[in-house]
C-alpha cells in the first residue's frame, strides 16, 4: 500500500511537470504574478548595433499603427545582430511580451539568470505581420524565471527598428495594453516623386542627366538636319556653342557637380574590396576575403556576436551563408598569413570598418569580393602596399581615376578634336548604367577605360603599335575589351580573301597587342602567385559567369528574361540567400534559350562583318566595341562597365547620326530609371503601361535600348544610305583633329591594300 501511494505521488509530480500538449503552451504563473510592465522606464544595461534614444523603447508610448519604420519614435537596429539588454533587478517570472516593430521583420526575445553571454536562451520570437511600417504584436510563452531580458537579432530585409518593448509576468487585460500614442509619419509605401524631395538629391541628379541627354538628341538631330540642308554660318556657330555647353554640363553632371556621393567623395565600399583584395592577394586569393574579414572582426570581443550572426557571400559558390564554419576553423584563414601581416590586415580592416558604419559594413560582406586580374594586381598591389590604410593614402589612391578620366578626354581632343570630345562627354556623362554612383571615387576602376579609349585615339593618330598595346593592356585589366579585336580580325580576313595580302596597319595593331602580353603577363606572375594566380582567376571568372546579378546588362540578360521569373516575384527574405531562386531561374532559362542566343550573336557578328569592310583600324575597333554588349560567349557585364559607350561615340567622326543615336540610348536609360508611370494604380485602364522599378527588370530594358542602338549603328555603317555622299568630318576642328587632317596621308600609304571605302554620312 505504501509503495502504491508513493508511485501515485511520484506519477502525479511527473504529470504536473510535463508541458501541455495542446496547440499553445499554457503559461504557469506564481501566486504573486502581476500584470504590470516589468520594463517600464527601464534603462538598458547593454546594447549592440543600435542607433537612437534607447529610452523610447520603454517609455510607454507607441507610434500610430503603420508609422514609418524609421520614425523618430523608433530605435534603429543597424544590423541583424542588433540587440538591447535589460536587467530586471532580480529573478522574475515572465510569460508575455508586447513589441511594436517594423512589420516585415522578426525579432527574438532572450532570457538569462546571470547575464553571461552563453546563458541567454530564446524565450520566444516576435513574427512578421502584414502591412507596412511599425506594427504591434504580442506573444505569450511558458513562464520562465529570468533576471536579464534581451530583444533583437532580427531577420528580414536588413531594415530593423523597434518603437516599444514591454514584458509581463502575466498578460494584462486587454492585451496588448492601451498605450499613449505619439505622432509619427505614416509608412511610405511608394517612393515620393523626385520633385517633392529636397534639392539636389541622387534622383534629381539622375533626372538632370536624362534631360541633358534629351538635349543632346535635340541638338545633334538639329545639327544633322541642318547639314543635310546646308548650314548657315550663324547657325553653325550657335550649334557649336550649344554643343560645348552641353558637353561641359554633361561632364559636370557625371560628378554630380561636385556633390559626388552626396556627402562624401570616396566610394568606401568599392575601395575596400579592391584595396584589401589586392594588398593581401597572396593571402586571400579570390575566395577568402569575407571569411578572413570575419575572423579579424571576431577577434574584437565587442564584435564577436555580430560576426556570429553575419551573413557573408561564399566566394567559392556565390551563395549567401552564415559564418559558423568560418568561426569554427579560423586557421583556414590565418594559416595563410604571417603574424605581422595578420596584424596589419586587422588594422586595415578596422580602418574600412570604421569608415563604413555598422549596417553598411555588414552589407559589404555580401558582395562578390575582389575580382581584379593578375595584371591589374601589378599596380593595385604595389600602390596599396605603400603603407597602412589611412585616409590620406586612400584618398590619394582614389584620385587616380579622375586623373585618368581627364587624360582620356584629353586624348580624345588630341585625336578627334573638340566636337567629337563634346559628343563623347554627353555620352559619358548621361549614361545611367555607368553613373558615378557605381565606381566613382573608387580605387583604379577606370584604368581599363583610359587604355580602351586611348588605344583607339592612338590608332586614329597613326600609332597602331602603341594603340594595339593600349587595347591589349585594357584587355589584361578587365578581359572583356578583347572583343575590340573582332573587327580588326574580320578586316584581315576580308583583305586576305580579296588580295591575298594583309594590311600592315592591322598587323601593327596585333604586334602591339602581342608586345603587351609578352611584357605584362610575366610581370604579373611575380605579384599574383605565378601560374596558379591565373588558374584561380579563371575559376573565379567562370563562377561569376554563372551567377546572375540584378545589375547585369547585355544580350544574355535579355535572352534570360521571363516576366514570371523577375526579382519582385522570386526574391524572398525567408531564404538564407533571398535571391537564390531568382538566380537559379535565370541560369535555367538561359540554358533553355541558348540556341536563340546563338542565332542573335551570329546576327550581330554579321552586321559587324559588313560594317567594318574597308575601314581603318580605329573605326574597326570602335565598331567592335558594340560586341562587348553582345558577349559572343555568354558574357554579361555589370552596368557600370557600360561607360565603354564612350568608345562608340568616337564614331561620330565618321557618321554624325552616331552621336544622335547614342544620346537617344543614354536618354532612354535615364527614362527607364525614372519610370514615370510607376505611380499608376494596379487595375487601372492604363496599368499595362506601369514601368518596372526593380533593378533586374530596369537593366534588362536598358540592355534592350542599348542593343537596338548598337544594331542601328552597325547597320548604318554596313549599309549606308546611297544619298549620303559628304564625309561626316568635313567640319574639321581648329585643333586639326578632324578626319581630313590625317586621312589622306594614310590612304596614300595604303592605297594598294585598302578596299574601296564606303560612302560616309553628311
Amino acid at each position: 500500500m505504501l509503495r502504491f501511494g508513493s508511485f501515485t505521488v511520484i506519477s502525479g509530480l511527473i504529470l504536473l511537470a510535463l508541458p501541455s500538449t495542446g496547440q499553445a503552451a499554457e503559461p504557469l504563473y506564481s501566486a504573486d504574478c502581476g500584470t504590470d510592465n516589468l520594463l517600464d522606464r527601464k534603462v538598458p544595461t547593454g546594447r549592440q548595433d543600435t542607433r537612437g534614444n534607447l529610452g523610447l523603447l520603454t517609455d510607454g508610448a507607441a507610434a500610430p499603427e503603420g508609422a514609418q519604420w524609421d520614425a523618430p519614435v523608433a530605435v534603429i537596429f543597424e544590423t541583424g545582430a542588433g540587440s538591447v539588454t535589460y536587467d530586471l533587478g532580480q529573478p522574475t517570472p515572465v510569460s508575455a511580451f508586447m513589441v511594436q516593430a517594423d512589420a516585415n521583420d522578426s525579432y527574438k526575445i532572450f532570457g538569462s539568470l546571470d547575464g553571461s553571454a552563453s546563458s541567454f536562451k530564446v524565450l520566444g520570437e516576435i513574427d512578421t505581420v502584414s502591412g507596412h511600417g511599425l506594427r504591434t504584436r504580442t506573444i505569450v510563452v511558458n513562464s520562465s524565471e529570468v533576471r536579464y531580458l534581451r530583444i533583437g537579432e532580427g531577420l528580414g530585409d536588413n531594415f530593423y527598428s523597434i518603437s516599444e518593448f514591454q514584458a509581463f509576468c502575466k498578460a494584462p487585460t486587454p492585451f496588448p495594453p492601451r498605450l499613449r500614442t505619439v505622432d509619427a509619419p505614416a509608412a511610405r509605401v511608394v517612393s515620393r516623386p523626385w520633385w517633392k524631395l529636397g534639392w539636389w538629391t541622387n534622383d534629381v541628379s539622375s533626372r538632370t542627366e536624362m534631360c541633358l541627354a534629351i538635349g543632346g538628341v535635340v541638338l545633334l538631330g538639329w545639327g544633322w538636319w541642318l547639314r543635310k540642308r546646308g548650314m548657315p554660318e550663324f547657325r553653325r556657330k550657335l550649334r557649336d556653342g550649344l554643343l560645348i555647353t552641353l558637353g561641359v554640363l554633361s561632364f559636370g553632371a557625371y560628378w554630380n557637380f561636385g556633390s559626388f556621393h552626396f556627402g562624401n567623395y570616396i566610394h568606401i565600399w568599392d575601395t575596400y574590396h579592391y584595396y584589401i583584395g589586392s594588398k593581401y592577394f597572396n593571402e586571400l586569393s579570390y575566395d577568402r576575403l569575407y571569411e578572413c574579414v570575419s575572423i579579424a572582426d571576431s577577434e574584437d570581443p565587442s564584435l564577436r556576436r555580430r560576426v556570429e550572426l553575419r551573413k557573408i557571400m561564399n566566394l567559392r559558390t556565390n551563395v549567401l551563408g552564415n559564418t559558423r564554419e568560418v568561426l569554427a576553423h579560423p586557421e583556414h584563414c590565418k594559416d595563410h598569413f604571417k603574424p605581422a601581416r595578420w596584424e596589419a590586415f586587422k588594422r586595415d580592416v578596422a580602418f574600412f570598418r570604421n569608415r563604413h558604419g555598422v549596417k553598411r559594413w555588414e552589407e559589404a560582406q555580401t558582395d562578390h569580393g575582389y575580382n581584379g586580374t593578375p595584371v591589374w594586381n601589378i599596380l593595385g598591389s604595389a600602390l596599396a602596399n605603400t603603407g597602412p590604410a589611412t585616409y590620406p593614402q586612400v584618398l590619394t589612391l582614389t584620385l587616380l581615376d579622375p586623373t585618368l578620366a581627364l587624360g582620356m578626354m584629353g586624348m580624345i581632343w588630341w585625336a578627334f578634336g573638340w566636337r567629337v570630345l563634346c559628343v563623347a562627354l554627353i555620352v559619358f556623362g548621361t549614361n545611367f548604367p555607368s553613373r558615378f554612383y557605381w565606381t566613382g571615387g573608387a580605387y583604379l576602376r577606370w584604368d581599363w577605360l583610359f587604355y580602351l579609349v586611348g588605344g583607339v585615339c592612338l590608332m586614329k593618330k597613326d600609332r597602331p603599335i602603341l594603340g594595339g598595346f593600349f587595347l591589349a593592356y585594357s584587355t589584361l585589366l578587365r578581359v572583356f575589351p578583347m572583343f575590340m579585336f573582332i573587327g580588326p580580325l574580320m578586316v584581315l580576313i576580308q583583305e586576305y580573301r580579296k588580295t591575298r595580302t594583309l594590311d600592315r596597319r592591322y598587323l601593327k595593331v596585333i604586334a602591339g597587342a602581342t608586345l603587351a602580353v609578352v611584357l605584362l603577363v610575366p610581370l604579373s606572375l611575380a605579384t599574383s602567385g605565378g601560374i596558379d594566380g591565373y588558374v584561380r582567376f579563371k575559376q573565379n571568372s567562370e563562377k561569376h559567369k554563372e551567377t546572375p546579378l540584378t545589375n547585369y546588362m547585355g544580350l544574355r540578360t535579355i535572352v534570360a528574361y521571363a516576366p514570371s521569373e523577375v526579382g519582385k516575384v522570386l526574391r524572398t527574405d525567408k531564404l538564407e540567400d533571398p535571391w537564390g531562386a531568382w538566380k537559379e531561374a535565370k541560369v535555367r532559362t538561359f540554358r533553355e534559350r541558348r540556341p536563340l542566343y546563338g542565332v542573335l550573336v551570329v546576327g550581330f557578328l554579321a552586321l559587324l562583318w559588313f560594317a567594318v569592310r574597308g575601314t581603318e583600324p580605329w573605326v574597326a575597333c570602335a565598331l567592335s566595341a558594340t560586341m562587348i554588349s553582345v558577349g559572343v560567349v555568354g558574357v554579361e557585364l555589370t552596368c557600370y562597365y557600360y561607360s565603354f559607350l564612350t568608345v562608340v561615340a568616337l564614331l561620330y567622326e565618321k557618321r554624325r547620326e552616331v552621336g544622335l543615336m547614342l544620346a537617344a540610348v543614354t536618354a532612354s536609360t535615364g527614362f527607364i530609371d525614372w519610370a514615370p508611370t510607376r505611380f499608376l494604380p494596379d487595375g487601372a485602364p492604363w496599368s499595362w503601361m506601369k514601368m518596372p522599378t526593380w533593378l533586374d527588370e530596369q537593366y534588362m530594358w536598358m540592355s534592350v535600348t542599348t542593343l537596338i542602338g548598337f544594331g542601328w549603328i552597325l547597320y548604318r555603317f554596313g549599309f549606308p544610305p546611297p544619298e549620303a555622299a559628304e564625309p561626316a568630318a568635313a567640319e574639321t576642328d581648329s585643333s586639326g583633329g578632324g578626319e581630313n587632317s590625317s586621312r589622306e596621308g594614310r590612304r596614300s600609304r595604303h592605297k594598294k591594300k585598302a578596299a574601296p571605302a564606303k560612302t560616309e554620312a553628311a
Side-chain angles (χ1 to χ4, degrees):
M1 188 70 176
L2 179 61
R3 291 179 180 176
F4 178 78
S6 300
F7 176 79
T8 302
V9 172
I10 294 170
S11 300
L13 291 173
I14 292 173
L15 288 172
L16 287 172
L18 289 174
S20 169
T21 57
Q23 278 189 314
E26 187 69 27
L28 302 176
Y29 304 118
S30 62
D32 59 348
C33 197
T35 59
D36 293 334
N37 176 17
L38 301 173
L39 296 175
D40 186 34
R41 306 289 175 177
K42 278 195 175 292
V43 177
T45 57
R47 62 188 293 178
Q48 178 161 325
D49 300 349
T50 61
R51 171 164 48 88
N53 178 10
L54 295 181
L56 296 171
L57 295 178
T58 56
D59 64 354
E65 290 297 295
Q68 178 64 19
W69 77 277
D70 58 351
V73 71
V75 171
I76 308 302
F77 287 61
E78 297 187 291
T79 71
S83 65
V84 178
T85 305
Y86 294 91
D87 182 358
L88 300 180
Q90 61 183 9
T92 306
V94 293
S95 67
F97 303 94
M98 189 283 294
V99 174
Q100 188 183 60
D102 194 11
N104 60 352
D105 304 316
S106 63
Y107 302 86
K108 295 182 180 68
I109 299 175
F110 303 85
S112 167
L113 280 171
D114 61 13
S116 62
S118 60
S119 67
F120 279 91
K121 306 300 181 185
V122 176
L123 303 179
E125 185 166 352
I126 301 294
D127 207 351
T128 61
V129 293
S130 59
H132 298 275
L134 297 169
R135 299 282 174 172
T136 300
R137 48 263 214 198
T138 60
I139 183 174
V140 177
V141 300
N142 276 334
S143 182
S144 299
E145 193 171 74
V146 300
R147 174 172 174 173
Y148 297 90
L149 281 175
R150 174 179 293 166
I151 185 169
E153 300 193 3
L155 291 173
D157 61 357
N158 286 328
F159 294 91
Y160 308 110
S161 65
I162 300 177
S163 52
E164 186 67 15
F165 177 40
Q166 297 188 359
F168 305 90
C169 178
K170 183 169 61 177
T173 303
F175 191 51
R178 296 185 180 91
L179 301 178
R180 176 170 54 91
T181 302
V182 296
D183 290 335
R188 296 190 298 270
V189 180
V190 296
S191 301
R192 289 181 294 169
W194 66 269
W195 57 83
K196 293 184 179 179
L197 299 172
W199 174 244
W200 203 244
T201 63
N202 185 62
D203 285 342
V204 174
S205 173
S206 302
R207 303 296 83 78
T208 300
E209 292 168 2
M210 180 188 72
C211 292
L212 288 170
I214 293 172
V217 173
V218 173
L219 179 62
L220 294 172
W222 179 56
W224 184 35
W225 181 77
L226 286 177
R227 286 182 57 80
K228 295 173 81 69
R229 296 175 60 89
M231 185 183 300
E233 180 67 15
F234 78 94
R235 290 185 179 178
R236 184 185 66 80
K237 289 183 178 180
L238 175 61
R239 192 281 313 267
D240 287 351
L242 292 174
L243 185 61
I244 293 171
T245 302
L246 201 58
V248 171
L249 288 175
S250 298
F251 193 60
Y254 180 82
W255 309 90
N256 291 315
F257 295 107
S259 295
F260 304 115
H261 291 293
F262 301 94
N264 59 288
Y265 163 71
I266 297 176
H267 194 321
I268 200 68
W269 176 310
D270 196 271
T271 303
Y272 148 63
H273 284 86
Y274 276 78
Y275 180 97
I276 295 292
S278 62
K279 188 172 187 175
Y280 298 97
F281 179 79
N282 289 330
E283 292 88 356
L284 300 175
S285 187
Y286 291 105
D287 54 14
R288 287 189 291 272
L289 174 61
Y290 301 141
E291 296 176 5
C292 291
V293 166
S294 294
I295 297 298
D297 283 350
S298 71
E299 293 188 358
D300 183 336
S302 66
L303 301 176
R304 176 76 186 192
R305 184 58 178 165
R306 186 196 300 174
V307 178
E308 289 173 348
L309 298 171
R310 175 180 292 173
K311 282 187 178 182
I312 63 172
M313 184 67 71
N314 184 328
L315 294 177
R316 297 174 186 84
T317 62
N318 273 359
V319 175
L320 276 177
N322 57 58
T323 59
R324 285 193 294 270
E325 186 68 19
V326 173
L327 296 179
H329 297 284
E331 69 279 2
H332 292 171
C333 165
K334 296 181 69 173
D335 285 351
H336 295 276
F337 286 82
K338 293 180 180 178
R341 284 285 283 179
W342 178 249
E343 292 303 315
F345 175 73
K346 288 171 61 177
R347 286 193 298 270
D348 288 345
V349 166
F351 169 83
F352 284 100
R353 182 177 64 241
N354 295 334
R355 288 276 169 180
H356 270 80
V358 175
K359 180 177 174 61
R360 288 291 285 171
W361 181 246
E362 296 302 302
E363 293 173 341
Q365 314 315 312
T366 64
D367 205 335
H368 291 81
Y370 165 71
N371 300 298
T373 67
V375 169
W376 189 94
N377 211 42
I378 297 172
L379 191 57
S381 177
L383 294 176
N385 275 291
T386 55
T390 62
Y391 181 76
Q393 187 212 30
V394 171
L395 176 62
T396 300
L397 294 179
T398 58
L399 290 174
L400 293 173
D401 276 353
T403 304
L404 290 170
L406 292 173
M408 175 179 69
M409 298 307 171
M411 292 193 74
I412 294 174
W413 195 346
W414 165 69
F416 292 93
W418 65 264
R419 286 192 180 88
V420 175
L421 171 62
C422 288
V423 174
L425 289 173
I426 294 170
V427 173
F428 175 80
T430 64
N431 190 40
F432 181 85
S434 54
R435 302 183 70 225
F436 186 86
Y437 168 88
W438 288 104
T439 56
Y443 176 35
L444 272 183
R445 296 289 262 144
W446 298 347
D447 49 356
W448 67 272
L449 183 61
F450 171 81
Y451 290 106
L452 190 76
V453 174
V456 175
C457 291
L458 287 165
M459 292 180 197
K460 173 68 167 57
K461 297 297 283 186
D462 253 347
R463 292 167 174 81
I465 293 178
L466 191 54
F469 187 97
F470 268 44
L471 287 187
Y473 192 9
S474 180
T475 298
L476 293 171
L477 290 172
R478 280 294 178 270
V479 182
F480 63 82
M482 66 181 177
F483 295 120
M484 297 280 285
F485 291 99
I486 295 178
L489 290 175
M490 284 182 171
V491 174
L492 283 174
I493 294 171
Q494 291 169 351
E495 291 297 310
Y496 186 77
R497 289 178 60 195
K498 290 180 180 179
T499 65
R500 297 298 173 183
T501 59
L502 297 174
D503 193 322
R504 291 179 57 193
R505 297 171 299 172
Y506 286 93
L507 293 178
K508 288 179 179 179
V509 171
I510 302 298
T514 304
L515 180 63
V517 173
V518 169
L519 292 178
L520 295 173
V521 170
L523 186 59
S524 69
L525 297 176
T527 59
S528 300
I531 295 297
D532 185 56
Y534 278 89
V535 173
R536 288 176 288 168
F537 176 74
K538 179 176 180 293
Q539 294 169 344
N540 188 58
S541 300
E542 290 173 345
K543 171 194 66 181
H544 287 314
K545 182 172 174 287
E546 297 305 317
T547 304
L549 298 179
T550 56
N551 64 334
Y552 269 159
M553 288 182 64
L555 182 60
R556 174 170 174 168
T557 304
I558 299 171
V559 171
Y561 173 75
S564 61
E565 297 174 352
V566 295
K568 67 181 179 183
V569 175
L570 296 181
R571 187 192 184 280
T572 172
D573 289 322
K574 295 180 180 179
L575 300 176
E576 191 159 50
D577 185 350
W579 290 93
W582 177 84
K583 294 176 184 177
E584 292 173 3
K586 296 283 283 186
V587 172
R588 181 179 61 251
T589 300
F590 177 72
R591 287 174 179 169
E592 293 171 354
R593 298 176 180 177
R594 197 183 295 271
L596 171 62
Y597 175 77
V599 170
L600 293 173
V601 167
V602 171
F604 272 97
L605 288 173
L607 283 175
L608 180 63
W609 174 270
F610 289 107
V612 298
R613 289 176 300 174
T615 61
E616 301 160 73
W618 78 265
V619 177
C621 288
L623 287 168
S624 299
T626 59
M627 293 297 107
I628 294 175
S629 187
V630 175
V632 180
V633 290
V635 174
E636 288 176 290
L637 292 181
T638 41
C639 59
Y640 43 82
Y641 286 121
Y642 273 66
S643 52
F644 77 81
L645 266 68
T646 310
V647 175
V648 185
L650 302 182
L651 293 169
Y652 179 75
E653 172 83 351
K654 284 290 187 180
R655 304 192 67 86
R656 291 305 197 216
E657 60 267 40
V658 168
L660 171 62
M661 176 53 68
L662 291 179
V665 167
T666 62
S668 72
T669 62
F671 185 79
I672 291 168
D673 167 68
W674 180 24
T677 63
R678 67 186 183 276
F679 297 110
L680 291 174
D682 292 330
W686 298 98
S687 60
W688 61 272
M689 295 179 60
K690 191 171 184 177
M691 297 176 69
T693 56
W694 283 62
L695 290 184
D696 60 323
E697 291 181 273
Q698 288 192 327
Y699 283 116
M700 192 284 298
W701 287 111
M702 292 181 197
S703 301
V704 170
T705 60
T706 301
L707 280 167
I708 289 174
F710 286 171
W712 187 86
I713 290 170
L714 291 174
Y715 181 81
R716 292 288 285 188
F717 270 84
F719 307 96
E723 69 275 8
E726 184 185 0
E731 279 184 273
T732 56
D733 297 337
S734 58
S735 62
E739 175 68 14
N740 290 340
S741 60
S742 57
R743 183 171 55 190
E744 294 304 324
R746 289 196 298 275
R747 283 185 173 175
S748 63
R749 287 194 295 272
H750 303 286
K751 188 174 181 180
K752 293 182 180 179
K753 296 182 179 179
K758 295 194 295 289
T759 306
E760 296 168 342

